[in-house]
Amino acid sequence: MAGLDPLVIRSLEFLGGMAGAEGWRPETKLPEVAFAGRSNVGKSSLINKLIHRKKFARVSNTPGRTREINFFEVNKKFVLADLPGYGYARVSKERKAAWRPLIEGYLRGSPSLRGIVQLLDARHSPSVDDLQMLDFLAKLGTPTIIVATKIDKIAPSQRADRVEQLAREAGVDLDQVIPFSAVSGTGRDELAAAIVGLIGDRS
């Protein structure tokens, strides 16, 4: 018998986008969970799978297009913050320079932030940008969940070894890493349960 869904989606509302470190942000006292990762790491697909929606978080054919932090209220219980993807080579230096203060300003200045979901592509070693983000998060001290995306692209017999290697390369504990596939749904419930744990919702 399948287990109970740890995060049943009863309501979902797009609150708006934050375009600058000092710009608009939702006036809410709800706990927030932020999602971060390189462009093309599969973040939109992961969010859509997590919330059981096909196209709620837009899946772009042009990595690096999203320029804002997008906020979604889930079940009137917590706010999901979708951070702009970083590290895409074709994005201008000016836009990259604008993203860093936006992302870091949000992460530093969010008293309601309960944790970060940091995405890494399971097929590749963490990039310089990934390692810089992980170092920043470690200094910030906010609880961080590592999600190894696109695990379906790796042969089943090689997945455990690859996830273990990725954890070593990222400098995190193996039990901090959740293998995930937006195609098969692998890891969806594990991630949902981890988020519920972050926001402290036991209902």
Side-chain angles (χ1 to χ4, degrees), residues 33-38 40-47 49-50 86 115-126 130 134 137 143-152 154 162-163 166-167 170 172-182 185-195 198:
V33 177
F35 285 67
R38 293 187 69 208
N40 221 16
V41 75
K43 184 154 53 64
S44 293
S45 297
L46 176 144
I47 291 173
K49 178 63 70 172
L50 175 69
Y86 56 80
I116 316 288
V117 179
Q118 174 65 39
L119 278 59
L120 300 174
D121 191 326
R123 302 169 298 174
H124 308 298
S125 297
D130 289 326
L134 289 166
L137 294 176
T144 302
I145 301 165
I146 307 297
V147 177
T149 63
K150 306 185 182 183
I151 198 70
D152 55 284
I154 298 174
R162 178 63 198 126
V163 171
L166 184 66
V172 299
D173 294 335
L174 181 59
D175 60 7
Q176 198 177 342
V177 182
I178 298 175
F180 190 95
S181 168
T186 296
R188 186 271 170 191
D189 286 355
E190 289 85 348
L191 175 57
I195 291 171
L198 286 175

Side-chain angles (χ1 to χ4, degrees), residues 99-125:
W99 282 347
R100 182 161 184 164
L102 171 63
I103 293 173
E104 293 188 359
Y106 164 75
L107 294 174
R108 289 185 189 278
S110 299
S112 297
L113 186 64
R114 294 291 180 268
I116 316 288
V117 179
Q118 174 65 39
L119 278 59
L120 300 174
D121 191 326
R123 302 169 298 174
H124 308 298
S125 297

Side-chain angles (χ1 to χ4, degrees), residues 13 15 26-35 70-82 106 112-115 195 199:
E13 180 184 357
L15 300 177
E27 294 183 8
T28 176
K29 295 181 180 178
L30 294 174
E32 298 178 9
V33 177
F35 285 67
N70 289 315
F71 296 92
F72 306 89
E73 185 180 277
V74 183
N75 292 345
K76 302 189 183 302
K77 294 278 190 179
F78 74 97
V79 172
L80 186 160
D82 180 11
Y106 164 75
S112 297
L113 186 64
R114 294 291 180 268
I195 291 171
I199 63 175

Side-chain angles (χ1 to χ4, degrees), residues 60-71:
S60 174
N61 290 325
T62 306
R65 180 177 291 174
T66 304
R67 307 180 189 183
E68 299 180 331
I69 298 174
N70 289 315
F71 296 92

Side-chain angles (χ1 to χ4, degrees), residues 51-66:
I51 62 178
H52 295 310
R53 301 293 192 276
K54 289 186 177 179
K55 295 182 179 179
F56 198 76
R58 180 171 55 83
V59 180
S60 174
N61 290 325
T62 306
R65 180 177 291 174
T66 304

Side-chain angles (χ1 to χ4, degrees), residues 153-174:
K153 304 289 187 184
I154 298 174
S157 61
Q158 299 174 8
R159 289 176 187 174
D161 287 345
R162 178 63 198 126
V163 171
E164 187 174 341
Q165 181 182 0
L166 184 66
R168 286 198 306 270
E169 292 170 338
V172 299
D173 294 335
L174 181 59

